[in-house]
């Protein structure tokens, strides 16, 4: 079967067995190129890359960062809690140490306080006894009262009362035991003065107690000075002063007792 080309120049049918168009002479090679469909070079198709792996990686990274952030924040919070706990413990320890130190100071102060009170009580008792003894000799000498305890001071070798009471009072010091009692009162006063110096700066909790014992101390010193040095007074003034000092000392003792543990 004979096939034909269409001549691109004149449109004549030209047998494929011919080399040229018999009408216009157009080469059949041009007719062949005309017949062949144009070749289309396909553009390379870019393969679309899947986004799934990238998203997975991003998700993993975000999750890792979130976990890391959680533990970092937790660590920071834990550190803050530890720091606060340590700070609170230090404050508590400091507070306890301070409270303990204050408690120890108060305990020691009140121990010294009680000891001083006891010494004042003993000294005041000795002062009162000797002061009353001195007063009795004075009264019995003036009023010539016969008394077994005072006769050896108020009477002479003949058993007669001294005309001058000063002779009777002076005879008191001829008895060694009386001198020792007098010296004991003077020494006790010095001891009490020394003990009171330790109480001068009381803890805040002990200030009222200090004020009470300071009042007692002042009355005791006045009382003991009266007995240690009675000269220059009349019997009446000595008697009145002794009574007032003795009463004031007793009243001050009652005020101090409330701070003394039984």
């Amino acid at each position: 079967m004979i096939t034909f080309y269409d001549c691109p120049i004149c449109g004549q049918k030209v047998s494929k067995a011919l080399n040229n168009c018999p009408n216009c002479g157009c080469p059949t090679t041009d007719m062949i190129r005309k017949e062949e469909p144009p070749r289309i070079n396909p553009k390379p198709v870019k393969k679309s890359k899947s986004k799934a792996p990238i998203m997975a990686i991003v998700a993993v990274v975000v999750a890792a960062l979130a976990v890391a952030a959680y533990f970092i924040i937790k660590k920071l919070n834990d550190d803050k809690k530890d720091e606060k706990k340590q700070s609170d413990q230090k404050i508590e320890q400091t507070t306890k140490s301070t409270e303990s130190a204050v408690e120890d100071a108060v305990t020691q102060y009140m121990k010294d306080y009680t000891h001083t009170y006891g010494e004042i009580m003993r000294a005041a008792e000795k002062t009162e006894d000797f002061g009353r003894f001195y007063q009795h000799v004075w009264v019995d000498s003036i009023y010539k009262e016969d008394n077994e305890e005072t006769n050896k001071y108020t009477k002479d070798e003949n058993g007669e009362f001294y005309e001058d009471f000063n002779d009777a009072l002076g005879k008191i010091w001829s008895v060694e035991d009386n001198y020792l009692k007098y010296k004991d009162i003077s020494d006790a006063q010095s001891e009490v003065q020394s003990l009171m110096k330790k109480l001068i700066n009381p803890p805040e909790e002990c200030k009222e107690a200090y004020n009470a014992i300071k009042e007692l101390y002042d009355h005791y010193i006045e009382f003991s000075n009266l007995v240690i040095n009675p000269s220059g007074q009349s019997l009446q003034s000595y008697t009145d002063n002794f009574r007032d000092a003795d009463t004031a000392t007793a009243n001050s003792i009652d005020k101090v007792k409330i701070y003394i543990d039984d």
Side-chain angles (χ1 to χ4, degrees):
M1 181 177 179
I2 299 173
T3 57
F4 295 91
Y5 295 120
D6 290 327
C7 178
I9 300 301
C10 63
Q12 182 69 34
K13 294 288 187 181
V14 179
S15 172
K16 288 184 178 183
L18 300 176
N19 292 326
N20 298 92
C21 174
N23 183 45
C24 65
C26 177
T28 55
T29 53
D30 291 342
M31 299 176 191
I32 293 173
R33 286 196 292 269
K34 185 72 176 179
E35 287 290 321
E36 290 180 352
R39 292 183 181 181
I40 299 174
N41 293 327
K43 294 182 179 179
V45 179
K46 293 183 179 179
K47 295 182 179 179
S48 61
K49 296 182 179 179
S50 175
K51 294 183 179 180
I54 295 175
M55 295 301 294
I57 293 173
V58 170
V60 171
V61 171
V62 170
L65 291 175
V67 172
Y70 167 78
F71 282 107
I72 290 173
I73 293 173
K74 185 176 183 302
K75 179 68 168 57
L76 292 174
N77 289 335
D78 291 343
D79 289 344
K80 287 182 180 179
K81 289 180 181 179
D82 290 341
E83 288 177 2
K84 187 177 185 305
K85 184 177 180 181
Q86 291 175 1
S87 177
D88 291 342
Q89 288 176 344
K90 287 181 179 179
I91 292 173
E92 184 179 358
Q93 290 174 354
T94 301
T95 302
K96 287 182 178 179
S97 298
T98 302
E99 290 176 351
S100 178
V102 171
E103 185 177 346
D104 291 344
V106 170
T107 300
Q108 182 60 49
Y109 185 88
M110 291 309 297
K111 182 178 179 181
D112 294 339
Y113 184 94
T114 302
H115 176 64
T116 301
Y117 168 75
E119 290 301 310
I120 293 176
M121 288 288 291
R122 282 186 285 274
E125 185 177 355
K126 293 176 183 178
T127 300
E128 182 180 31
D129 289 344
F130 192 83
R132 290 193 184 283
F133 160 72
Y134 190 87
Q135 182 185 33
H136 289 161
V137 172
W138 200 342
V139 169
D140 291 346
S141 176
I142 290 177
Y143 295 102
K144 295 180 173 44
E145 294 287 343
D146 197 6
N147 187 316
E148 290 183 2
E149 292 183 0
T150 62
N151 282 344
K152 62 181 177 181
Y153 305 107
T154 60
K155 295 182 179 181
D156 59 19
E157 292 80 0
N158 298 320
E160 299 293 332
F161 284 102
Y162 289 111
E163 292 299 325
D164 187 351
F165 69 86
N166 286 311
D167 292 334
L169 295 177
K171 200 172 181 180
I172 289 175
W173 309 114
S174 65
V175 178
E176 183 180 7
D177 186 52
N178 293 331
Y179 172 76
L180 292 176
K181 288 179 180 178
Y182 171 86
K183 185 177 183 304
D184 193 23
I185 293 171
S186 180
D187 291 343
Q189 187 186 75
S190 297
E191 176 64 19
V192 169
Q193 288 174 334
S194 177
L195 292 173
M196 281 298 297
K197 290 180 181 179
K198 295 181 179 180
L199 303 180
I200 290 177
N201 296 312
E204 187 66 30
E205 296 84 349
C206 303
K207 285 188 175 180
E208 291 185 3
Y210 172 75
N211 291 336
I213 202 169
K214 178 62 168 58
E215 180 182 318
L216 170 60
Y217 168 76
D218 290 340
H219 289 311
Y220 157 71
I221 291 296
E222 181 182 357
F223 189 31
S224 58
N225 282 340
L226 176 66
V227 173
I228 291 172
N229 185 23
S231 61
Q233 301 186 73
S234 67
L235 175 60
Q236 187 61 51
S237 64
Y238 178 85
T239 300
D240 292 343
N241 292 334
F242 183 88
R243 182 190 61 246
D244 293 344
D246 190 22
T247 301
T249 301
N251 290 338
S252 295
I253 288 172
D254 291 337
K255 293 179 181 179
V256 174
K257 278 183 179 179
I258 64 176
Y259 300 104
I260 304 296
D261 294 331
D262 295 333

